[in-house]
Structure formats: C-alpha cells, structure tokens
Amino acid sequence: MTALTREAPRTVLHKVDPCGSCGAREASVCRGVGDEFLDRLASIVASRTLDPHELIVAEGDAATSYFNITDGSAKVYKLLPDGRQQIVGFLFTGDFVGLAVRDTYAYTVEAMTRLKLCRFGRGDLERLLGEFPHMEHLLRQMASDELAVAQEQMLALGRKTARERVAGFLIQLSRRAERLGQAPNPVQLPMTRADIADYLGLTLETVSRTLTLLKSAGLIAVDRQTVYVSRKADLIEIAEGEA
Amino acid sequence: MTALTREAPRTVLHKVDPCGSCGAREASVCRGVGDEFLDRLASIVASRTLDPHELIVAEGDAATSYFNITDGSAKVYKLLPDGRQQIVGFLFTGDFVGLAVRDTYAYTVEAMTRLKLCRFGRGDLERLLGEFPHMEHLLRQMASDELAVAQEQMLALGRKTARERVAGFLIQLSRRAERLGQAPNPVQLPMTRADIADYLGLTLETVSRTLTLLKSAGLIAVDRQTVYVSRKADLIEIAEGEA
DNA sequence: CGCTGGGTTGATCGCACTCAACCCGCGTGG
DNA sequence: CCACGCGGGTTGAGTGCGATCAACCCAGCG
C-alpha cells in the first residue's frame, strides 16, 4: 500500500494512468502488459479530485473500490478509540490502494495534499484480473513487497530507538527519491512532524528533538521541509542499528 | 507468513500436504483446487525434518525455496547487528513460508519445536502457479491477509501499551485456536516469554509482569504455558485500547 | 546432586512522553 | 496598517512506563 517505503521497481498499476484526462501509456511496454488490458482498465475507471484532509477510504467501510493515486499524496492510518494513531504508510503519485483488503477496509486513507485518483470497482478489477493472470501475478508481487516493507517497519517500531527510526526514515525517503529518478540528497519531507511521528511510533516533539540532534551531530542540515544529508553512510549506520 | 495472526480462512497451501509421507488430500475440495494441481505439486516437493533451533531459512540467503510446514511450529524474526530481535510472526502446522520474498530472504525462520516441512523449488512452484492462475490468486489473497495482519501489528508496536499488547496477543491466540476448530478458551502459549516479548516489542520481564497484572485483575489465570481467560470481553476491551 | 532453561519478582534507571512556553509565517479582518 | 488567530515547529522541565540489572524459584535432566 505504501509507496514511500517500497523498494521494488514500480509495477504496472503504478505506471498506468487509465483516466481519460491523462493518457499516459508508457506502462504498456512495462513487464509485458498489453494494450488490451489497458483498454479494459480504462473502461472500468472513474476519476476524481480530493482536497487535503478528505478521506479516500474510511476504516470499517465496505471495501467496494480500489484506487490509483494519479497525483498528490496521502496517508494510510489506523486509529484507536482514544485517538492514538498509527500511520502504516504514505501514498504518492502512482500508488495503488487496495492491496491489503478484506470485506471492509482496515485503515483510513486521507489526502495530505490536493489529490487526483482513479477509482476501480472491486468486482470489475478482480474480474479483469481473472482474465489477465499476469496482472494477478504483479499484484501478488506488490503485496509481497509491501509485506516485506511492513516487516521492516515492525522491526523499527518494536526494537529501534528514536534516533534509529528517524535516521531510517530519512534514508527511506532518500532511496525512494532515487528510485523515482529524483535527486537522492536534499530530501523533501512532504508531511508534518506529527505525521512522521505517527508513522514512526513517536511523538512530534521527539521527532523534532531527534532531527536537531542529528543536525548537531553534523549528519544533516534541516530547513523546514528540506533535509540535506551530509553524511549518508553514518546515517545508514545509525539506521541499521550498528552498536 | 505468520499463521498465528492470520484472520482469514485457511487456503489451499495450508491444507495440502504433498509430501509422500502423509497423503492428506482434503484440500482438493477446498476452494476449487483440483487433483491435477496437487499431483503436480507432489512432483516438485521434498520433505525434511528439523530439530528445535534449527534454521529453515536465514536472513540474507538467496531465496531459492518456498516451504510448507507440515508439523510443528517456528518463529520468523529479523535481527539487528547488536542482537536485538523482532519476531514478525509465528508459523504453525500447515503454514506457508515464502509470501514476503525477494531475491534474498529478509528474515530468519527458526524451528521452535521438532518440525516437519516440505520444500518447493522457487522456480518450480512459480512455474506451476503460472499454469494454475487460481492458485496465483490464492497466494495473493494470503499475502493480502498477511499484510493486513502486519498493519495491525504495526498499530500495536507503535501505539499500544504493554498491557494492551499482551491482552491482544492472548485474544489473537484464542481466536486462532477457535478458527482451527479448537477450544478458544484455555489458551496455550507454545512459545517462551522471551519469544512473546520479541513479538510484542517488549522485554520478557515486562511480559511476565503484565501477565501477573492481568491475573491480579481477575481477567485470566496463568499456569505455565496455559492461560485461562475468565473475562474475555474485558480482555478484548483492553486489547482494543478502549480508554 | 548440580546444572540449565524458563519464569517471577524487586530495585533502579533512562528514554521517550507529557505539559508547557515560545517562535515564526501566513492569512484574515478590523 | 497592525492585531489576531492558527498551523507548524522548536525547546525546556518534569514524569513515567518499560528497560535493565539482579536475585531467586522451580522443574527437568544428566
């Protein structure tokens, strides 16, 4: 579900933009997906635009739709009754919503920016996947990748210190940017400190303190939403928990 | 990967036991998997027995095999260089190993008991899945379910107190037993306090203290590896984090 | 017998949380 | 024009939950 942390090369549903408004088709050459699938996909899709803080799906709702984010970013979180919140992933342009789905959504997806998306009826997409086994395979790969990422995050949440989690988060963002062909170094933080905290299982104060700590140690320079990584190797070492 | 926490009904690869030593075939009627698939599966499988503490797969090894546990239990964990350990799941009889796999294993799987398993060559199984799209679909479902479970665990590790985590763990075990047709109430703890701690992101002392705390509160009775749940509703309420 | 693994309990510590003050930039409206 | 509120961020002081260190118990076993 989360693209932020995805390590794998992007797969078809990430590349394809089947909404009429934007005919990006470069995915058709990617991994052997044919035009036929894309045509069929386009026929079952509806697009929409959301404002920040609007919900794409809400925890507990009947899971009748899958989505593809075509522009903007969102957060995926779970809530406890008293308001405690755990962000289980961030979604960015190109990401798919619907990998971890039962009969109801087990999480809420909320737009962080103004956001465009495509909606697929669940039944429609599943039916289409039945006709294109290769797509089924890709979806399994994506779910597997997400699972590996989730396990990595469990390690962080269960066993890593605040410093290690924050360092790891910065490295994740840097690698993600690199994977998308952007510059890996000035890392952009598209989310607030509170969101970072809810992702890392910390408080926003601890995130802020830890960033200044890493700054004081000369590993990074922080400027609002931008982080310059000056000693990436050291940052990685911290993130991996080396003594 | 973890069966412990799986909420979904068991799928084919969990039921099937394609090793020659045990011809359990009840799975053939389950979810429309035909004998043909099972025959093919049997042809690519090799079985083996392991002692406690032996490794089934080791973090970092080339991922050349998938496995099906046919008897016994195992733990799946990730390590940090200084020895900190996070168990990301437990595996029991019938469970499948290989959902969250890239080119190398991202975790270690270690037998907790004497254990029997079947080994599938990765290429063989993937090739077979290519011929049986329905199986591919089931594997995706399993991966999706695991992902949902992992997200639930992230919530626990990131935001729940020790008391909530332990209560939730007991409820998980109880529900799992029920799902497997066993009595839900006297919950058996097949693993040590240290393993529970490594799963819940706590120390073994905290797990022990928390169990006695729940006992003092009259919610459970503890006898070594057995836990009698006397007030399940209250336990659930605690686990869900209700104020 | 004594050793070992697993478990419980006690005393103390420390990391991250909590509560609070304060800063800054921005938009709104008097 | 400045006043004000507000969201986002930083920093400080004090607290507390769970970690750490340690002692002890018990059962199984060689």
Side-chain angles (χ1 to χ4, degrees), chain A residues 59-241:
Chain A
E59 193 170 346
D61 281 1
T64 54
S65 299
Y66 294 160
F67 302 89
N68 213 7
I69 311 243
T70 50
D71 191 42
S73 53
K75 55 182 170 181
V76 183
Y77 59 84
K78 294 170 77 77
L79 283 173
L80 290 174
D82 64 358
R84 278 174 288 171
Q85 184 173 98
Q86 177 66 41
I87 294 181
V88 299
F90 295 102
L91 298 171
F92 299 97
T93 301
D95 283 329
F96 180 71
V97 182
L99 289 177
V101 154
R102 295 268 178 77
D103 47 338
T104 63
Y105 300 112
Y107 45 74
T108 301
V109 182
E110 178 183 322
M112 295 196 297
T113 63
R114 193 165 174 80
L115 179 148
K116 285 190 292 187
L117 53 77
C118 296
R119 197 186 74 78
F120 310 90
R122 185 180 178 178
D124 287 338
L125 183 57
E126 293 288 354
R127 217 168 296 125
L128 197 50
L129 291 177
E131 295 178 45
F132 295 83
H134 187 64
M135 288 308 301
E136 187 82 67
H137 182 74
L138 286 180
L139 269 258
R140 176 165 73 88
Q141 294 288 21
M142 284 166 60
S144 291
D145 289 343
E146 287 302 324
L147 189 49
V149 169
Q151 290 174 348
E152 195 65 41
Q153 187 69 357
M154 285 190 237
L155 175 62
L157 293 173
R159 290 301 180 212
K160 287 189 183 175
T161 65
R163 208 170 61 120
E164 290 162 352
R165 294 184 211 185
V166 171
F169 183 68
L170 295 176
I171 294 298
Q172 274 179 35
L173 286 177
S174 175
R175 289 190 175 146
R176 174 173 190 283
E178 200 165 19
R179 203 166 47 246
L180 296 183
Q182 303 160 12
N185 194 344
V187 173
Q188 291 300 319
L189 307 178
M191 66 293 286
T192 67
R193 301 289 187 267
D195 284 337
I196 298 174
D198 279 339
Y199 180 64
L200 297 179
L202 301 170
T203 60
L204 65 91
E205 294 95 329
T206 298
V207 171
S208 179
R209 274 185 244 277
T210 306
L211 283 172
T212 54
L213 194 116
L214 292 174
K215 186 173 64 178
S216 309
L219 299 180
I220 60 174
V222 185
D223 176 57
R224 306 209 161 267
Q225 309 267 52
T226 307
V227 177
Y228 302 84
V229 179
S230 38
R231 287 159 54 192
K232 190 165 186 175
D234 293 349
L235 207 58
I236 291 175
E237 202 164 86
I238 290 175
E240 315 267 350

Side-chain angles (χ1 to χ4, degrees), chain B residues 143-211:
Chain B
S144 290
D145 290 343
E146 287 302 324
L147 189 51
V149 169
Q151 290 175 347
E152 196 65 42
Q153 187 68 356
M154 284 190 239
L155 175 62
L157 293 172
R159 289 302 180 210
K160 288 189 182 177
T161 66
R163 207 170 63 119
E164 290 162 352
R165 293 184 212 186
V166 172
F169 183 67
L170 295 176
I171 294 299
Q172 274 179 34
L173 286 177
S174 174
R175 289 189 175 147
R176 174 173 189 283
E178 200 165 20
R179 202 166 46 244
L180 297 183
Q182 304 160 12
N185 195 344
V187 173
Q188 292 298 320
L189 306 178
M191 67 293 287
T192 67
R193 302 287 188 268
D195 285 338
I196 298 174
D198 279 338
Y199 179 65
L200 296 179
L202 301 170
T203 61
L204 65 92
E205 293 96 329
T206 298
V207 170
S208 180
R209 275 185 244 275
T210 305
L211 283 173

Side-chain angles (χ1 to χ4, degrees), chain B residues 75-87:
Chain B
K75 54 183 170 181
V76 183
Y77 59 83
K78 294 170 77 77
L79 283 173
L80 291 174
D82 63 0
R84 279 173 289 171
Q85 185 174 98
Q86 178 66 40
I87 294 182

